């Protein structure tokens, strides 16, 4: 059972890579998309729990690629993030990164010449300075428990994106939550800038379209287009039968910038194009 997979372009070697996660087996594999050869296979990464998210990190400061894995153990303490090289050898374990991690991301801050890892956990979000192997900031905000979810409500954060466009004065960390809110933090300052309420439905996935617009999708089978500056939903895309698990922006060879959405289980994968283009 493959629980997640991520596309990554290896700019150093000019190749397309796919990283696949077999969560319950705590296994990560990396594939060369040109011939579908498995070039790395790392097994039994964690003793307990599952891997919900992993990534290939591009460290621009050293020009090296690394594999980062996370752990989610529901009934015990989860284990910290692990970092492997492309030979599959364990390079380091990042201290203070324990937490029920559901989503990982990384980015290179050009202004400060630093690579950061973002760990989205059950009740908080953390960023880590990759070169120093320590927590940079912790982002916390109380969940607003919807009245209609008195029983099945856990208060989880699920995904994040960085709004890192050059004309922004503040580097924004945007995070989705179980309570339907989208939270925007000052990445370097750690303070909460804004909370955008959707409709109290859980948002599993985020996709930044540009510096002004964000897509969010989740349990109500709708994809919401959000004006970040105004803090309001301006459109909803309907087409899925069940919850939407993942959304991503792509460049289609015919239609240009498009949005890809993945439905739950047997629900379809849809491609959305901008009719105004």
């Amino acid at each position: 059972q493959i629980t997640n997979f991520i596309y990554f372009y290896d700019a150093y070697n000019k190749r397309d890579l796919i990283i696949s996660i077999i969560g319950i087996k705590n296994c990560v594999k990396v594939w060369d998309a040109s011939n579908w050869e498995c070039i790395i296979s790392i097994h039994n990464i964690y003793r307990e729990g599952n891997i919900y998210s992993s990534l290939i990190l591009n460290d621009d400061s050293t020009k090296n690629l690394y594999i980062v894995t996370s752990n989610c153990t529901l009934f015990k303490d989860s284990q910290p993030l692990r970092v492997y090289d492309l030979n599959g050898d364990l390079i380091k374990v990042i201290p203070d990164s324990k937490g029920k991690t559901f989503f990982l991301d990384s980015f290179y801050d050009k202004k400060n010449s630093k690579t950061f890892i973002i760990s989205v956990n059950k009740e908080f979000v953390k960023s880590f300075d990759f070169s120093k192997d320590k927590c940079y900031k912790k982002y916390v905000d109380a969940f607003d428990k919807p009245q209609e979810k008195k029983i099945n409500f856990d208060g989880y954060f699920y995904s994040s994106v960085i709004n890192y466009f050059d004309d922004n004065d503040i580097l924004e960390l945007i995070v989705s939550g179980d309570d339907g809110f989208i939270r925007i933090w000052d990445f370097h300052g750690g303070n909460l800038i804004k909370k955008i309420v959707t409709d109290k439905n859980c948002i599993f996935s985020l996709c930044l379209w540009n510096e002004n617009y964000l897509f969010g999708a989740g349990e109500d089978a709708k994809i919401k287009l959000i004006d970040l500056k105004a803090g309001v939903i301006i459109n909803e895309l309907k087409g899925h039968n069940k919850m939407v698990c993942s959304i991503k922006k792509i460049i289609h060879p015919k239609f240009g910038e498009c949005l890809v959405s993945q439905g739950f289980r047997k629900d379809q994968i849809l491609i959305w194009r901008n009719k105004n283009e």
Side-chain angles (χ1 to χ4, degrees):
Q1 182 183 7
I2 297 176
T3 53
N4 201 352
F5 69 92
I6 302 101
Y7 164 79
F8 178 84
Y9 178 65
D10 179 3
Y12 301 142
N13 299 292
K14 293 182 171 56
R15 58 181 178 174
D16 297 297
L17 301 177
I18 298 289
I19 180 168
S20 63
I21 304 165
I22 307 173
I24 198 169
K25 296 291 186 180
N26 283 297
C27 172
V28 168
K29 295 178 180 288
V30 178
W31 310 79
D32 187 332
S34 64
N35 56 13
W36 297 114
E37 176 188 0
C38 182
I39 58 176
I40 304 169
S41 185
I42 310 172
H43 296 268
N44 301 317
I45 295 175
Y46 296 104
R47 297 187 302 272
E48 298 183 42
N50 298 333
I51 301 175
Y52 276 79
S53 184
S54 183
L55 59 84
I56 298 178
L57 181 145
N58 181 354
D59 186 11
D60 282 353
S61 61
T62 62
K63 305 300 182 183
N64 290 324
L65 300 179
Y66 301 95
I67 300 170
V68 184
T69 65
S70 67
N71 181 238
C72 180
T73 305
L74 294 179
F75 303 108
K76 294 184 179 181
D77 290 338
S78 297
Q79 298 173 59
L81 303 179
R82 291 173 173 253
V83 180
Y84 296 84
D85 63 17
L86 288 197
N87 293 319
D89 296 325
L90 180 65
I91 299 300
K92 59 185 176 181
V93 176
I94 299 179
D96 195 28
S97 62
K98 292 182 179 180
K100 295 175 174 58
T101 306
F102 292 99
F103 182 81
L104 282 180
D105 198 5
S106 67
F107 80 101
Y108 182 70
D109 183 357
K110 292 184 291 185
K111 291 182 179 179
N112 296 284
S113 301
K114 287 186 176 183
T115 300
F116 292 96
I117 297 174
I118 300 170
S119 176
V120 178
N121 299 310
K122 179 183 176 184
E123 298 172 340
F124 57 85
V125 180
K126 281 185 176 182
S127 58
F128 296 91
D129 185 328
F130 185 71
S131 63
K132 296 182 179 180
D133 299 335
K134 68 177 185 178
C135 180
Y136 177 69
K137 292 290 181 181
K138 184 176 181 179
Y139 313 89
V140 180
D141 183 54
F143 281 93
D144 183 12
K145 184 175 181 179
Q147 292 297 317
E148 62 272 19
K149 294 185 178 180
K150 292 182 179 179
I151 299 176
N152 298 317
F153 180 76
D154 298 306
Y156 287 2
F157 290 117
Y158 276 108
S159 64
S160 70
V161 292
I162 287 286
N163 198 349
Y164 56 84
F165 292 87
D166 292 335
D167 57 349
N168 286 353
D169 294 330
I170 296 176
L171 192 65
E172 295 176 339
L173 172 63
I174 307 173
V175 180
S176 69
D178 209 4
D179 56 359
F181 278 98
I182 292 173
R183 293 165 172 83
I184 303 177
W185 276 281
D186 178 346
F187 179 82
H188 291 300
N191 55 297
L192 186 66
I193 301 172
K194 184 187 296 184
K195 289 173 69 172
I196 301 174
V197 62
T198 56
D199 51 11
K200 301 296 184 178
N201 285 292
C202 176
I203 300 173
F204 294 124
S205 184
L206 297 174
C207 175
L208 191 66
W209 191 257
N210 54 39
E211 66 268 31
N212 296 318
Y213 296 102
L214 177 80
F215 284 103
E219 65 177 336
D220 64 351
K222 300 175 184 177
I223 301 172
K224 302 169 179 62
L225 176 59
I226 299 162
D227 185 319
L228 287 172
K229 291 184 177 180
V232 295
I233 299 172
I234 59 175
N235 197 7
E236 289 187 343
L237 310 180
K238 300 177 182 178
H240 284 281
N241 300 316
K242 298 181 180 179
M243 65 180 71
V244 183
C245 299
S246 181
I247 51 177
K248 186 176 180 62
K249 182 179 180 180
I250 65 166
I251 305 298
H252 191 279
K254 180 179 179 181
F255 300 113
E257 292 183 335
C258 292
L259 187 73
V260 175
S261 59
Q262 174 199 353
F264 181 66
R265 290 186 175 174
K266 294 182 179 181
D267 201 357
Q268 66 267 48
I269 292 175
L270 301 178
I271 300 178
W272 310 80
R273 69 182 179 94
N274 188 353
K275 294 180 180 180
N276 297 322
E277 292 294 330

